[in-house]
Structures are given as C-alpha cells and as structure tokens.
Amino acid sequence: MRILIGKDYEEISKKAALMVAAQVMLKPNSVLGLATGSTPLGLYRELIAMYQRGELDFSAVRTINLDEYYPLAPDDPQSYHYFMNDHLFKQINVKPENIHLPKGNADAVKAECDAYETMISQVGGIDLQVLGIGVNGHIGFNEPHPFLHAQTHLVDLTAETIQVNSRFFASAEEVPRQAVTMGMGTILKARRILLIASGRSKAEAIKKTVNGLVTTECPSSFLQTHPAVTLVLDQEAAALL
Ligand code: F6R
C-alpha cells in the first residue's frame, strides 16, 4: 500500500487529480471507476479545471460508478446518477454512452447486478478505481458484516451510514435504506485503486485499513490484499497512522 499524505483537503484533491490525469493521459480510453460522496468533489473540480484548460480529454474515457441508492430513479435529484452528472459528467467531454452507473430503480435487481458485472468485463475491467471510505470502513456500500458479497448486489445500509449520509437529505427518514453496489471482488479486480480520505472522522477507519486485521467487519481492510493501492490522506485522516 502506498500512502501519500497532504496537508489539507485541497492538497490531496490536487494529488488525486494528478493521478487520475496521468491515467487518462497514458491510456486515453481508460476505464475509470468513480465514487460519489463529499470526498471526491475536490478531485472532480480539479479534473474539470484541467479539462477546461485543455489539458485533459475524456472523449474516449469510460466511467463505471461504484453504487446507486435503491430504489431511486436516475433523474431523482438524490440519486448518484444526478450527483455525477451535476458534479462531473456535464462539465467534461465524456460521452454519455460511456457512462455507467447501476440502475437504482431496476425492476429485476438481481438481473441488473449481473448485467453490471458483465458490462465491467466487456469493457475490459477497471483501470483505476477511485474510492472514498465510510467512517465504519465501508467501501462502495460494502458495509461491515460477518460476510461480504464478491459481486454487484443489493445491500442494506447500516444505521450508521444512514445517519452519516442524512446530511445530503432533509432528514434521516428520507435516506434510502438500500443500495446497489459493486462487491468486494468487483472492487479488488480493478488494476489500480486510489482511496481518498479527509478529516478526523476517517482516521480510525484508515488505521484499520492500513494496520488492522483483514476482516469483513472492516471491508476496507481487504485493500491490504491488493497489489496496487494508493491512499491519499490529509493529515487529519492520517492522524492515527
Ligand atoms: C460513494 C461510496 C461511499 C463513500 C463513503 C464516503 O459512492 O461508495 O463508499 O465513498 O461513504 O463518503 P464521503 O466521501 O461523503 O465521506
């Protein structure tokens, strides 16, 4: 595991953007695995700025997101489809047909999950997967549990995650109770992984990710088994290392 520590959120967002930019420059048709939430917003702002300055071209890039709330429709303002369009896709030249997120309101969820796995294989797998991390060590929405799923699946969100994510909703009651997420195996198949973490609330999870036992009770600990993981942390997130 490679660990880069920056002084603050702005600095780590720039470092993360340089890594994503390098990936796209070296392989213009890269498959980027993307995350939502607060953490990657600075990264996305940097990528948009690079695109606007003519430094980056996304015209051949394929994107595959980690997860989507169930049962939200893609045009629901609280959906991750909406989030990604708003914060990244509509501001760069990625082609709509190259954008992939799980469909949150699929009639047949299991078939949708299986189709998502097939699609990932068909595009040749994920070159670089961007991850945030939950305060409980979740990645994607693979929540701490006695067992984990390898492949894309429907998951019940933990009370802690519902509480933490309620900041994006009018109240905790409005937070969806379930999500469709890539599984641990899907994530670990990515050729390279870039996990970004900022703030003191993530320090405990980062400590377990780096130094803890590999356990399903801290899904991010499985990143220790991957050969090409980089953690980009601000000083607060790295405080317990
Ligand atoms: C989002 C995702 C989640 C978030 C995590 C951290 O697509 O998969 O694992 O990365 O919940 O969220 P923030 O960045 O809001 O702290």
Side-chain angles (χ1 to χ4, degrees), residues 67 69 80 133-144 155-169 172 175-177 179:
D67 41 25
Y69 282 124
Y80 285 166
I133 183 170
V135 293
N136 61 5
H138 73 213
I139 52 177
F141 275 130
N142 294 282
E143 297 277 35
V155 65
D156 294 332
L157 302 182
T158 60
E160 189 176 20
T161 296
I162 291 167
Q163 191 52 46
V164 171
N165 286 8
S166 65
R167 69 191 192 281
F168 296 111
F169 294 78
V175 183
R177 269 36 190 172

Side-chain angles (χ1 to χ4, degrees), residues 116-158:
Y116 208 63
E117 289 289 330
T118 304
M119 177 276 296
I120 295 172
S121 300
Q122 281 170 348
V123 299
I126 294 169
D127 290 305
L128 175 63
Q129 176 65 56
V130 174
L131 297 176
I133 183 170
V135 293
N136 61 5
H138 73 213
I139 52 177
F141 275 130
N142 294 282
E143 297 277 35
H145 198 70
F147 59 84
L148 298 174
H149 290 263
Q151 303 214 316
T152 303
H153 60 287
L154 183 66
V155 65
D156 294 332
L157 302 182
T158 60

